[in-house]
Amino acid sequence: MLGKQMDIRGFFAAASTRTTSKEAEAEAEEAAAADHERDPNNKHLEQLEHLEENNNTNKTVQPKGVSYSAQWTAVVAAVTADEPHLLSDSDNNSISAFSALSPPAADAFVRLMLRKHKVERVRRLAWDDRLATEDANSDKVDKVDKLDKVDTQALFAELAAAKLLVLDPPLDSTQILQLLVRDELLDLAKQYKIPKHSSLSVPALQAALMDNLASISQFSFSFSSAQKSPSDILLGKLKNILGPCIYIPDHVVETFYRLFIIYNREREWPENPFLPHIRTNLKANRLVYNKYQIHRISITWPTRQDLLDYISVLKLQHEVESLLATITSATSPQDRENIENSAITLSETCIPIFKNWVAEQPDGHVSGIPWLATFTAGMKSTPILKHLILLYTRHGKDVEACNIITLLLDRKLIGVRRGRGDLWDTYMKALVRLGKHAEAFEIGCEALRDSAVEFGRRREIENRLVKLGNKLGRKDKIVAVDSCAATLDKIHTRVVEAKKTFSATGRKALYLDVATGEDMEVEQLALREFERIGFKGVHAENSVITTLFGILFWDILFDDTVPGVFTTPFQDAPMDLSTEFFYTARKAAIDQRLSELVANPETLHMEIISRIDEQHRPTVTQCRGVYWNLFSRDDLVQVASCFNGVQLARICDGFIQSYGAHSGGVPDLCVWRDRELKLVEVKGEGDHLSHSQIMWLDLFTSCGVCVELFKVQLPSTGVSKRKRKK
């Protein structure tokens, strides 16, 4: 890790902002022309016009619709130009080898890299594989980038000569059996007279043939060197069945993995980083993204070792979370305990990583740009440590859990403010279990003084503190909290009787609408009830609030003067939106917007919404949380007019402080008529309000927004249920 004395100006001078050069445009036009030649129906003329239109701008434009290898080449060129210090000699050799390939060989290599990285049987390669694209409008699967019919043997020979491919890697009998399909295994099992082979599964067939191989190998010593042993004969037979194979070496795969992680600034471990990139480019043909300046900071990872450490923690987080995801399928308590112990062992390796980061970079990142701390191994280890805290508490290791919590709650630490409410609450509960009630009370008081605690968690901490205060006789010492004081009994509850017609575990119940005779979910039933009394409505949940927030803060969301948050052309939000850095990096602009909304409660929000809607609804410009199809323009204006600027400032402030933490739990329905609006939380028979739902009901009530509970209860049968005897 670089020390404080390092002069970082050279890194920033090397590359920070990428603009569309004439060379890049020429290459893009060339790639577009080649693709158009292969597929005349592609819209490459539009692409070329798009490039020409942006010739005189300073915006980075990545051409849309180009071939896989052209996209791949663009990524390679960007990383090698901007961040060469992150590449080793081995990486550069692989990159140079790829760059020197003929176009057909480059296409073949990219197609192979999009597949699972394992030994591939040449005869089973299907170059016209269909790649599922994330089409927002349909479930259509597009056939894309079909490899031209060329001499595959020559292609693979070229790739092998470039050391990007291994032809016919050495395989033993066991490895070959793993590659054979069921029909081939059945033929072998029949030849070697495996009992009841036709009823065996593929793993069972493989196991039976492996046992047969083992028994044959025991007698191979009796043959002379001139004779082939039975195991050699079988191995030869297996190779004939298998046919020629190819394999991309691990070091080549790792090189390009790192390139795409660097280019896309990945913050989660990608199983295959190439597919999301390809799909994003495909999706870009149909979607319109907002224009912004791309700002790639070369010192995101100051050294190659920083990058490798970061990637190792990314992978570790993925391993821990994958392991924890298997707990629910564990068949016995012992299996669950073993899984959790393995997760604890893995997670504990992050403790020294986190401590070293705190010691070496107390300001978060060597560049002084707080946002870039998210790309350090130390900060990336915090979600793993949070998993470790929960595992410790589950295993009765409350002392160890408290030690980790105190590490994360260090006030001087940048980058671990999100989720502090959960940490304080867990800390209090752990101290109570340890019998340290007085200390837990003091910790609760400190938590309520922590401005970084999310407003949704303050209520829960306050309730816990009240209980402790009553127990200790210190209720008068509780710190006053400026939180939502509304109680559920102040909220109007509408109760409707309906017969449940369907119920199953893991699926939503259905109820009978008496008026129409239809079976429907409880939210649809509630909408029908409000429609009968003159309301229009949508089942929107969080979408109403996120849409209003996105439109009101559109220009701030897409403020490209904040360094390092726009790194690719296809983003629907800045990369730091769901982090604490979103507010701190834009504090002046956000505070000014909130003040303006409060100062102009009747007009400003309507002006902003009308302007942004007029500019971006026709093109359906992508912005996270904004759902253009949720409301028509007239409905959006009507819904917005039911709020005032003070209410919207209070609601949006919650998103700004922690977008990810507060985007769940908003009431299910938004219904309105004229200037009257209600946000309605809907509950079926036996359902209860969650913590986040109560938090939002409190907030809306305190803001003066009308909220309502809609409950469905089953018709009374008139027969009282007997109490079950214990």
Side-chain angles (χ1 to χ4, degrees), residues 399-446:
V399 173
E400 291 87 343
C402 290
N403 291 336
I404 303 297
I405 291 171
T406 54
L407 271 179
L408 296 178
L409 286 176
D410 184 344
R411 284 183 174 277
K412 292 179 273 187
L413 203 59
I414 293 175
V416 291
R417 290 163 61 89
R418 183 176 175 185
R420 286 175 73 87
D422 283 329
L423 289 174
W424 285 114
D425 192 47
T426 303
Y427 198 2
M428 291 176 69
K429 290 188 284 189
L431 290 172
V432 168
R433 286 193 297 271
L434 291 169
K436 300 180 179 181
H437 296 82
E439 187 176 344
F441 183 85
E442 296 300 330
I443 288 298
C445 292
E446 187 177 352

Side-chain angles (χ1 to χ4, degrees), residues 500-511 520-524 539 541 668 682-684 687:
K500 186 184 289 186
T501 58
F502 174 80
S503 179
T505 304
R507 296 177 62 184
K508 298 198 72 169
L510 297 179
Y511 296 87
M520 57 186 65
E521 294 177 357
V522 64
E523 293 84 4
Q524 294 172 292
H539 177 197
E541 297 183 352
D668 299 290
V682 181
K683 288 296 171 188
D687 290 341

Side-chain angles (χ1 to χ4, degrees), residues 109 308 376 471 626 713:
F109 176 75
L308 296 178
T376 59
K471 190 171 185 177
V626 174
Q713 68 179 25

Side-chain angles (χ1 to χ4, degrees), residues 106-158:
D107 285 343
F109 176 75
V110 172
R111 290 298 303 227
L112 288 171
M113 287 292 287
L114 292 175
R115 301 171 69 90
K116 292 182 179 178
H117 304 120
K118 58 181 179 60
V119 176
E120 297 275 8
R121 299 173 64 184
V122 173
R123 68 178 59 166
R124 294 192 63 81
L125 286 175
W127 292 113
D128 59 345
D129 284 348
R130 290 171 180 262
L131 193 64
T133 62
E134 298 172 5
D135 191 335
N137 302 316
S138 72
D139 296 326
K140 182 177 67 174
V141 176
D142 297 330
K143 181 185 287 188
V144 291
D145 201 39
K146 182 175 179 179
L147 191 70
D148 291 337
K149 293 182 178 179
V150 294
D151 185 354
T152 55
Q153 188 174 355
L155 287 182
F156 296 150
E158 182 180 349

Side-chain angles (χ1 to χ4, degrees), residues 12-32:
F12 283 107
S16 57
T17 303
R18 290 187 57 80
T19 55
T20 307
S21 65
K22 291 181 179 179
E23 292 82 6
E25 289 164 14
E27 289 176 7
E29 290 176 7
E30 217 175 338

Side-chain angles (χ1 to χ4, degrees), residues 35-36 38-46 65:
D35 277 0
H36 181 62
R38 283 203 295 257
D39 184 2
N41 296 321
N42 277 347
K43 297 182 179 179
H44 291 292
L45 290 176
E46 293 178 15

